[in-house]
Amino acid sequence: MQGRFHFYEGYNMKEVTFPVRVMYELGIKTLFVSNASGGMNASFHVGDLMIITDHINFFPEHPLHGKNFPTGPRFPDMHETYDAALIAQADAIAAEKGIKVQHGVYVGVQGPTFETPAEYRMYRILGGDAVGMSTVPEVIVAHHCGIKTFGISVITDLGGFDVPVEVSHEEVQEAANKAQPLMTEIMREMIRRN
């Protein structure tokens, strides 16, 4: 896919996750997701790649709310939502190619505003390393469907530290564009090996 539907654009969760449902019907077994996110971990820098190891769902609407689709159980287990074998493979590829990667927990929020300094600090206290406005709904539905998932966040800005940093959409896009070739290199090699 090129692009996605975002909750902040006014789509409901059924619409946001519909492409994943289509992919499931087409027989997709593995889903790769990527996003631009704000880093809250003090060891992160703008332009870092963060392999997603887990997420925290702060969306006000759950993508599995309502009638249960027969693609998975009513109450799906969410342990290892991001596939450990795929994460290990990405780590190995990054090491082979000399690409620095971070690991962390992605916090999914509705947007469309960037976070306040207090929100960044709160999400960090709760265990988040990066925050963004996508990914979590799609991953939940993919996991419910039995699709293995791998995710990378591009750290496009930093927040929650002592010195407030003002964020613009243009700066986020610029940082994402610089990091994208490295992320693409890892994912292409993963696809080639699977």
Side-chain angles (χ1 to χ4, degrees), residues 7 14 21 24 30 42 46 49 59 65 75 81 84-85 92 117 124 133 154 187:
F7 188 74
K14 298 286 187 261
R21 298 280 182 202
Y24 170 80
T30 306
V46 170
L49 298 176
F59 283 90
H65 184 257
F75 302 105
T81 306
R124 181 67 184 144
M133 305 170 202
V154 177
M187 288 187 170

Side-chain angles (χ1 to χ4, degrees), residues 77-188:
D77 178 80
M78 295 301 288
H79 287 86
E80 201 182 321
T81 306
Y82 299 84
D83 188 80
L86 292 174
I87 291 171
Q89 186 180 59
D91 284 336
I93 291 166
E96 287 169 20
K97 295 181 175 290
I99 299 171
K100 176 188 167 194
V101 292
Q102 304 276 17
H103 289 86
V105 175
Y106 177 82
V107 180
V109 298
Q110 71 175 338
T113 56
F114 291 114
E115 292 66 39
T116 67
E119 288 169 337
Y120 272 123
R121 288 192 298 273
M122 176 190 72
Y123 295 140
R124 181 67 184 144
I125 288 167
L126 294 175
D129 294 290
V131 60
M133 305 170 202
S134 65
T135 304
V136 171
E138 296 98 318
V139 168
I140 289 172
V141 169
H143 192 68
H144 182 255
C145 292
I147 297 171
K148 292 189 299 184
T149 306
F150 173 78
I152 293 185
S153 294
V154 177
I155 305 301
T156 55
D157 58 277
L158 300 170
F161 306 115
D162 292 336
V163 180
V165 180
E166 193 170 313
V167 182
S168 75
H169 183 63
E170 291 74 22
E171 290 169 325
V172 167
Q173 284 185 313
E174 183 181 340
N177 290 340
K178 285 182 182 175
Q180 186 173 354
L182 298 175
M183 177 187 69
T184 302
E185 191 172 351
I186 292 170
M187 288 187 170
R188 278 198 177 133

Side-chain angles (χ1 to χ4, degrees), residues 54-73:
D54 203 351
H55 70 235
I56 299 172
N57 181 11
F58 263 95
F59 283 90
E61 182 182 331
H62 198 282
L64 300 180
H65 184 257
K67 182 181 177 188
N68 187 48
F69 279 79
T71 56

